[in-house]
Amino acid sequence: MPPSNYQKHQAGRHLAVAEALLHGYSASLHGPQTFVTINGRKAAVQAAAQGTWMIADIDRMTAMSVDVYVLVDVTEGRRDFYVVPGDDLRAGVRERHDEFMASVGGVRPRNPESRHTAIYPKDVESWRDRWSLFDDATQHVVGEAHS
């Protein structure tokens, strides 16, 4: 029986926690669905099981204030991780979406009402395995604990 989308996403969260632990960071699941905590820092996890990370609503995603994303690619047995600052990810998603919309005259050809967009691995390749983004979190959390 193939896994459901929910199971794939949950597996992505667990894989993100496991990979962070293997890089020497403290890590755990945070809440029931989207987030993990790595070195005291909350991060959103998104899993791609078919080659892209699907964004249902570009406006909702780009309005979020998530500090760090861990994108997990489990396509065809892969286990690739992209650790991306939230502002960089949102800006890139918005820019690529706006370019696409301009290329089709501002109206989606098949479904004008759709707010869907996608993130491809090539879009985030420079962030592959950038677990060091969590290094500052340890210093920040430790600094707060001693204040």
Side-chain angles (χ1 to χ4, degrees), residues 28-48:
S28 61
L29 298 177
H30 184 102
Q33 294 199 9
T34 303
F35 296 97
V36 297
T37 301
I38 300 173
N39 259 16
R41 190 179 210 178
K42 190 166 108 175
V45 176
Q46 288 190 258

Side-chain angles (χ1 to χ4, degrees), residues 3 10 20 25 38 44 55 63-64 66 68 70 76 84 94 97 103 106 109-111 116 124-125 133 138 140 143 146:
Q10 289 303 314
Y25 299 106
I38 300 173
I55 307 299
M64 293 177 74
V66 174
V68 179
V70 179
E76 297 175 4
V84 188
R94 175 55 72 185
H97 180 76
S103 76
R110 289 192 304 211
N111 182 356
H116 171 266
V124 292
E125 183 60 37
L133 289 177
T138 301
H140 181 69
H146 289 95

Side-chain angles (χ1 to χ4, degrees), residues 64-132:
M64 293 177 74
S65 60
V66 174
D67 190 37
V68 179
Y69 286 83
V70 179
L71 305 178
V72 182
D73 189 352
V74 295
T75 303
E76 297 175 4
R78 293 170 54 187
R79 302 292 181 264
D80 296 327
F81 301 89
Y82 304 85
V83 183
V84 188
D87 288 343
D88 291 348
L89 184 66
R90 288 185 293 276
V93 166
R94 175 55 72 185
E95 180 181 338
R96 288 185 298 276
H97 180 76
D98 289 350
E99 287 171 1
F100 166 75
M101 292 302 290
S103 76
V104 295
V107 178
R108 293 182 83 93
R110 289 192 304 211
N111 182 356
E113 301 303 314
S114 174
R115 302 304 303 146
H116 171 266
T117 194
I119 302 169
Y120 295 88
K122 67 178 177 56
D123 300 332
V124 292
E125 183 60 37
S126 65
W127 299 103
R128 180 191 291 262
D129 291 322
R130 294 284 296 274
W131 295 98
S132 62

